[in-house]
Amino acid sequence: MEFLKQKVEALQQEIANIQPGNADELEAFRIKFLGTKGLVKDVFGAMKDVAPADKKDAGQLLNAFKQFAEGHYEKFKHLQGGSGQAKQAGIDLSLPGTHMPVGTRHPLRVTENEIVSIFNKIGFTVAEGPEIEDDWHNFTSLNMPADHTARDMQDTFYVAQNPDWILRTHTSSVQARVLEEGNLPVRVICPGRVYRNETISARAHCFFHQTEGLYIDKNVSFADLKQVLYYFVTEMFGSNTKVRFRPSYFPFTEPSAEMDISCTVCGGDGCNLCKHTGWVEILGCGMVHPDLLRNFGIDPEEYSGFAFGMGVERITQIKYQVNDLRLYSQNDVRFLKQFTPIQ
Ligand code: DAH
């Protein structure tokens, strides 16, 4: 047994001193130590000379030695870049891999996904409509007949080939698309891109994104509207956020309101985001106008509902404090990569 120990130690020492520098030297090492007539095999042959009482220890010793020799071989094989084949092909497998940059979601999509999933949780499903709309769905059916002044507020892009076709100015057009399907009750959330003929600046753009909500059922009241929107705000901005409703006017709702939240940056003390008022406006809302229900053959005595519409850029601006709208469409990766990586 002592003799075996010494022999193994000597061999281990020898192996440790060999550092094969190329494929040929590595192969020579393999043949010498690990080959069928190699020294590892040879030393295993010495087992027969070991006393029966020592056989167990000797077995362990030899196995550990074998592993050592194999490990040494594998290490150099790896360092040299794997098999001889890869080497011959000029591929160095030991080089670090090429870094593949992981993409990121667009910040507006991050926000939109979050809005949608918050409303999904309370039973709203997604509805979508076309970006090239007709006058009826975007305006007339929503209580904005041809001479309505509210149309002027939304500088509309018209499609040259057909004056009845426009680029939708708001996602409220999807309300019309959903209502004409005639399925009640309605509980939808409608994200999408909208267009207005505005000069591009830090604060305005010719296209942007909105998310519309529509809820129609029996016995829906303003209290339901408030509770749903309050739930949304606390999910989106945290449970400390306060809300307030200000009376407003939209042709498709009556009564109408605008909703503000307590400033998420200064907590209400006053800062640039809230223009030192402590409040930031985030959406328009109201009870669906009875005329609008009638336009789609729904009896306002039987059904009522609420609607709301919010700007996705606005919500994103508040969440991430982005203060130039143009950043969203410039595709500058230095800006884009600051947002959630794709999971
Ligand atoms: N469509 C409005 C806009 O673009 C936003 C809006 C206000 C939508 C009130 C609504 C609502 O559904 O009830 O400014």
Side-chain angles (χ1 to χ4, degrees):
M1 181 65 191
E2 200 49 40
F3 149 80
L4 197 62
K5 264 192 198 156
Q6 275 171 19
K7 189 163 178 164
V8 165
E9 253 166 49
L11 282 172
Q12 255 175 345
Q13 194 57 252
E14 186 183 341
I15 289 175
N17 288 332
I18 301 177
Q19 307 204 340
N22 58 38
D24 289 344
E25 284 174 26
L26 186 67
E27 183 59 5
F29 174 89
R30 191 189 65 78
I31 293 170
K32 179 170 180 189
F33 290 95
L34 301 166
T36 38
K37 291 181 183 148
L39 290 171
V40 172
K41 191 121 196 191
D42 184 54
V43 81
F44 265 81
M47 272 291 269
K48 63 180 188 317
D49 305 327
V50 173
D54 292 336
K55 279 223 191 296
K56 195 174 160 214
D57 287 348
Q60 279 173 358
L61 176 78
L62 290 176
N63 277 326
F65 169 60
K66 187 174 169 211
Q67 273 176 20
F68 171 79
E70 284 171 353
H72 195 76
Y73 173 73
E74 289 299 330
K75 180 175 142 195
F76 281 92
K77 187 170 153 185
H78 177 72
L79 284 177
Q80 287 181 20
S83 69
Q85 252 182 8
K87 274 237 102 155
Q88 276 163 24
I91 302 165
D92 184 351
L93 297 180
S94 69
L95 284 176
T98 315
H99 176 64
M100 295 286 275
V102 180
T104 57
R105 288 203 196 284
H106 193 281
L108 294 176
R109 186 64 83 182
V110 172
T111 306
E112 186 186 279
N113 285 349
E114 202 173 341
I115 298 171
V116 166
S117 81
I118 291 170
F119 283 102
N120 275 168
K121 280 192 222 150
I122 52 168
F124 285 74
T125 54
V126 170
E128 286 177 311
E131 290 181 15
I132 301 175
E133 251 310 354
D134 54 52
D135 184 280
W136 163 257
H137 291 96
N138 194 82
F139 290 125
T140 306
S141 69
L142 302 176
N143 254 353
M144 282 186 269
D147 55 355
H148 200 289
T149 47
R151 287 191 179 207
D152 300 341
M153 280 158 36
Q154 306 190 344
D155 302 293
T156 311
F157 282 120
Y158 288 86
V159 176
Q161 286 81 354
N162 183 338
D164 192 48
W165 289 351
I166 57 164
L167 299 186
R168 68 179 177 197
T169 59
H170 54 183
T171 46
S172 303
S173 58
V174 187
Q175 288 192 34
R177 293 267 161 200
V178 170
L179 289 175
E180 73 186 357
E181 281 172 15
N183 302 323
L184 291 168
V186 170
R187 200 181 296 172
V188 289
I189 190 90
C190 324
R193 181 173 287 180
V194 301
Y195 300 83
R196 290 186 201 176
N197 191 359
E198 304 249 15
T199 310
I200 297 173
S201 72
R203 300 160 59 85
H205 210 292
C206 60
F207 65 80
F208 52 99
H209 300 80
Q210 292 187 331
T211 301
E212 192 85 7
L214 179 67
Y215 190 127
I216 305 217
D217 205 341
K218 294 179 176 159
N219 298 319
V220 181
S221 72
F222 204 88
D224 298 314
L225 159 76
K226 283 172 109 173
Q227 191 54 40
V228 164
L229 292 179
Y230 182 61
Y231 155 78
F232 165 69
V233 165
T234 52
E235 289 285 305
M236 192 78 193
F237 296 104
S239 55
N240 291 333
T241 321
K242 297 190 203 59
V243 298
R244 76 175 185 190
F245 291 82
R246 284 178 290 103
S248 186
Y249 172 75
F250 299 102
F252 28 88
T253 44
E254 180 58 36
S256 303
E258 275 162 311
M259 189 176 85
D260 299 340
I261 60 169
S262 53
C263 183
T264 51
V265 171
C266 63
D269 296 340
C271 68
N272 277 344
L273 177 69
C274 62
K275 300 199 192 76
H276 299 276
T277 63
W279 295 95
V280 284
E281 184 198 318
I282 64 159
L283 56 79
C285 58
M287 301 305 291
V288 177
H289 198 294
D291 284 349
L292 198 146
L293 295 175
R294 277 188 210 104
N295 283 343
F296 294 97
I298 301 166
D299 180 0
E301 297 299 324
E302 197 184 352
Y303 283 94
S304 55
F306 61 80
F308 55 88
M310 65 184 99
V312 179
E313 278 80 354
R314 177 83 175 136
I315 307 277
T316 313
Q317 177 202 14
I318 296 170
K319 266 211 112 148
Y320 299 106
Q321 289 166 56
V322 175
N323 47 25
D324 189 331
L325 275 179
R326 290 168 294 195
L327 288 166
Y328 293 126
S329 49
Q330 280 165 342
N331 273 342
D332 185 333
V333 287
R334 290 168 304 176
F335 169 71
L336 296 174
K337 76 180 179 193
Q338 298 174 70
F339 303 88
T340 330
I342 293 173
Q343 279 114 23

